[in-house]
Amino acid sequence: TWRQRKSIPMAEKDKELKEKYYEMKAIEEHLQNLNQQVQAVEQQLEELRTSVKSLKEYGKLKDGDTVLLPLCNGVFAKAHLHDSSNLFVNVGANTVVKKNPSGTLQLLEKQFGEMQELQMTVVTQLQRLANHAKTVEEELHALAAKAE
């Protein structure tokens, strides 16, 4: 009976150790997902930066200017600008609207601000979860040391 009593707490420790281990694995997976989200947001921010820069350069053009029109990756055609005061902007759901360059720039800058906010939110979540992971890891080590 002494062995049975002794094995019950060990079984509980093993169970607690396994639960902590699985919690740590779940946190690691969540951290990995958040890291991927941060990278995706950073990529979108870079694309928006490039778009804003291009749009500002476009603002210097006037009707009749010759431009290089991108057809696909690395392939361009020479074209003459006929209406520099209007752009056609894809606003989602296969919907394109006519906007002037300053309105388009405002739209892009708004999107950029929203993406920066999203980036801060995801980074904050990542930091909190990393801190929690550190705590769980310390608890896991303490449980493992007790089980030995």
Side-chain angles (χ1 to χ4, degrees), residues 82-148:
H82 292 289
D83 183 6
S84 61
S85 62
N86 289 303
L87 296 169
F88 298 92
V89 181
N90 182 351
V91 293
N94 291 326
T95 304
V96 176
V97 297
K98 190 189 288 190
K99 281 192 155 306
N100 62 32
S102 65
T104 306
L105 185 59
Q106 286 176 346
L107 176 69
L108 291 177
E109 288 172 339
K110 179 182 176 205
Q111 289 175 350
F112 188 82
E114 290 169 352
M115 289 305 294
Q116 283 182 313
E117 287 178 24
L118 178 60
Q119 181 186 34
M120 288 180 3
T121 300
V122 175
V123 167
T124 299
Q125 289 176 348
L126 186 64
Q127 290 169 341
R128 285 183 185 149
L129 193 59
N131 288 336
H132 181 61
K134 185 177 178 182
T135 302
V136 171
E137 185 177 25
E138 289 168 358
E139 292 170 358
L140 184 61
H141 286 298
L143 284 170
K146 285 180 186 179
E148 292 177 356

Side-chain angles (χ1 to χ4, degrees), residues 32-44:
Q32 191 175 30
N33 289 340
L34 285 174
N35 272 320
Q36 289 172 350
Q37 285 181 11
V38 168
Q39 289 174 355
V41 168
E42 287 174 352
Q43 182 179 353
Q44 288 176 325

